Amino acid sequence: QSALTQPASVSGSPGQSITISCTGTSSDVGGYNYVSWYQQHPGKAPKLMIYDVSNRPSGVSNRFSGSKSGNTASLTISGLQAEDEADYYCSSYTSSSTYVFGTGTRVSVL
Amino acid sequence: QVQLQESGPGLVKPSQTLSLTCTVSGGSISSGSYYWSWIRQPAGKGLEWIGRIYTSGSTNYNPSLKSRVTISVDTSKNQFSLKLSSVTAADTAVYYCARNSYGFLYFDYWGQGTLVTVSS
């Protein structure tokens, strides 16, 4: 299984909105509504931000939202804040009963 | 509150077997319906799912690692374990254990991670 494709980096100014894409295939992203997104600060474990494409766990800011179209899922961060600077990874369940992660995106707040 | 903690040798020699354990606290590993996964991350690189074990003991593995991986569970110790054989420098990474609930295909609880270096 190949890693899902994400842009290496995305940046924005405080208050702006940014979107991170996550492209897979019909065997993973396109085939299931089981895309999740994780935020990872340096030296820390990943933290769940979005599950099942567009659902937020309790405690996650509503500035984070997710969507999907075909084989591409997206994470949007609105009202960008300094604390959002981190690495973000998408993940999808696959037709082989396995998981695949994205290549990761570094978000920078200018 | 469920907590996961990885433990094991931080240094493994090439061609040997890497062995890690994840201890679950705050709940029984065998109560409820959960999958327990291992995920790794080489320095400066992305996450890679290694495999998972269900409460019943059934397993699924990443096809690229399947021939070298064994995941097992010890309910008496509230632990699950990873064994990765014939390791090389490419297996050097931070190894995480994580949980997902049956029917919920995302990882809601993670351990803090443990660095394993493969070197002679």
Side-chain angles (χ1 to χ4, degrees):
Chain A
Q1 57 192 30
S2 298
L4 307 175
T5 301
Q6 298 180 230
S9 63
V10 174
S11 61
S13 300
Q16 286 188 329
S17 293
I18 61 168
T19 297
I20 303 168
S21 61
C22 169
T23 301
T25 69
S26 58
S27 295
D28 37 65
V29 174
Y32 304 91
N33 287 324
Y34 295 134
V35 175
S36 50
W37 289 90
Y38 302 87
Q39 176 192 65
Q40 186 180 36
H41 287 109
K44 300 295 187 182
K47 173 188 175 183
L48 178 66
M49 305 300 285
I50 294 287
Y51 66 93
D52 295 352
V53 175
S54 59
N55 294 295
R56 276 188 313 276
S58 174
V60 172
S61 171
N62 59 10
R63 297 185 298 103
F64 292 84
S65 61
S67 63
K68 191 188 85 166
S69 178
N71 294 339
T72 298
S74 298
L75 173 71
T76 297
I77 309 174
S78 58
L80 198 62
Q81 298 180 1
E83 67 206 50
D84 300 331
E85 190 160 285
D87 293 328
Y88 291 82
Y89 294 91
C90 60
S91 177
S92 176
Y93 189 67
T94 80
S95 59
S96 301
S97 300
T98 62
Y99 290 87
V100 60
F101 283 95
T103 50
T105 299
R106 173 69 54 86
V107 169
S108 299
V109 181
L110 303 173
Chain B
Q1 178 81 343
V2 173
Q3 291 187 316
L4 288 74
Q5 178 69 58
E6 306 87 351
S7 60
L11 180 64
V12 180
K13 295 186 187 306
S15 81
Q16 292 190 342
T17 297
L18 178 160
S19 296
L20 294 175
T21 296
C22 181
T23 301
V24 179
S25 59
S28 170
I29 200 170
S30 57
S31 68
S33 299
Y34 299 112
Y35 285 97
W36 306 94
S37 283
W38 286 98
I39 296 159
R40 70 180 182 179
Q41 184 174 36
K45 296 187 178 182
L47 299 166
E48 180 180 35
W49 182 78
I50 299 170
R52 68 177 182 178
I53 187 164
Y54 186 50
T55 306
S56 66
S58 65
T59 55
N60 299 99
Y61 298 129
N62 184 325
S64 67
L65 298 169
K66 187 174 183 177
S67 63
R68 298 194 292 132
V69 174
T70 301
I71 297 175
S72 60
V73 64
D74 186 337
T75 55
S76 67
K77 295 182 179 179
N78 229 36
Q79 296 175 336
F80 64 105
S81 299
L82 167 71
K83 290 189 185 297
L84 180 66
S85 64
S86 304
V87 297
T88 69
D91 295 310
T92 294
V94 174
Y95 285 76
Y96 295 98
C97 54
R99 188 197 84 167
N100 70 276
S101 302
Y102 182 83
F104 297 91
L105 301 173
Y106 51 86
F107 306 103
D108 53 0
Y109 288 96
W110 295 67
Q112 64 184 28
T114 187
L115 174 63
V116 178
T117 301
V118 178
S119 176
S120 56

